[in-house]
Amino acid sequence: TNERDVYEMLQAESGLRLSFLDWRALKWQCFERNTKMIQLRPETQVTLSQAVQLNFHMAIVTNSTTDELELNLRATDMPPVFLTKISGQDVSQPKPSPEGYLKAAAHINKKTSDCIVIEDSLPGTLAGLAGGMTTILFPQHETPKEQVPKGAHYLSPQEDLWKFLQQFL
């Protein structure tokens, strides 16, 4: 869901009377105030370090705005490992559309069948699958097995991401 869709849902569900630009500014203020709460999952840090050592071509794809993406990367002290960053502003159709992942694959010059998507959301998992990529759902919270999209690999939040990835390398 993109930013405009979220705004329109809020209007419909809550009777929100702010203009889109006012809502966006308020949302950004809240986002900035809460950056201290944004943390990189330890498993992600280990996996990124290993991937960098192996010279993987990495991209990040998000439905967030470009500003939100950059704020998240700064807040987590994420090393500059992503060759490509695709935000919700870079696509016409957000996840679950595969557009962002297809753009990322093209930017890093990889066939989709050679790409591995690691996702923490169901819409993102659907996007990776629709893009023809090996897709791993690695959510922040346990997801019931019946909700895992067919064709996706599931890794519970407590499992070792890097160890799991070894089977695909």
Side-chain angles (χ1 to χ4, degrees), residues 35-82:
T35 57
K36 294 181 287 300
M37 295 170 40
I38 302 170
Q39 296 179 355
L40 188 62
R41 292 167 67 179
E43 307 84 10
T44 303
Q45 184 62 51
V46 169
T47 300
L48 286 173
S49 297
Q50 295 291 338
V52 167
Q53 287 180 5
L54 294 173
N55 207 25
F56 284 7
H57 295 96
M58 291 185 280
I60 189 165
V61 178
T62 180
N63 279 353
S64 297
T65 66
T66 302
D67 290 340
E68 291 165 351
L69 169 61
E70 292 300 332
L71 184 65
N72 281 331
L73 293 176
R74 283 192 309 274
T76 58
D77 245 354
M78 179 83 69
V81 297
F82 297 105

Side-chain angles (χ1 to χ4, degrees), residues 28-165:
W28 180 252
Q29 288 172 5
C30 182
F31 207 79
E32 282 185 306
R33 247 190 339 266
N34 291 294
T35 57
K36 294 181 287 300
M37 295 170 40
I38 302 170
Q39 296 179 355
L40 188 62
R41 292 167 67 179
E43 307 84 10
T44 303
Q45 184 62 51
V46 169
T47 300
L48 286 173
S49 297
Q50 295 291 338
V52 167
Q53 287 180 5
L54 294 173
N55 207 25
F56 284 7
H57 295 96
M58 291 185 280
I60 189 165
V61 178
T62 180
N63 279 353
S64 297
T65 66
T66 302
D67 290 340
E68 291 165 351
L69 169 61
E70 292 300 332
L71 184 65
N72 281 331
L73 293 176
R74 283 192 309 274
T76 58
D77 245 354
M78 179 83 69
V81 297
F82 297 105
L83 297 175
T84 298
K85 300 173 195 171
I86 306 290
S87 78
Q89 294 170 298
D90 298 318
V91 296
S92 60
Q93 295 293 312
K95 300 173 190 176
S97 164
E99 182 182 351
Y101 283 121
L102 297 175
K103 279 188 171 190
H107 279 228
I108 61 174
N109 201 29
K110 294 289 179 186
K111 296 186 300 188
T112 58
S113 59
D114 291 337
C115 294
I116 299 172
V117 168
I118 302 168
E119 257 298 340
D120 65 350
S121 73
L122 293 174
T125 301
L126 292 170
L129 291 169
M133 301 171 181
T134 298
T135 305
I136 301 166
L137 175 58
F138 184 48
Q140 294 193 31
H141 306 285
E142 206 64 49
T143 299
K145 299 278 189 209
E146 61 273 6
Q147 290 182 12
V148 177
K150 185 177 181 185
H153 302 274
Y154 179 75
L155 184 65
S156 76
Q158 300 83 357
E159 292 183 75
D160 184 327
L161 177 60
W162 182 248
K163 184 177 178 183
F164 188 79
L165 278 173

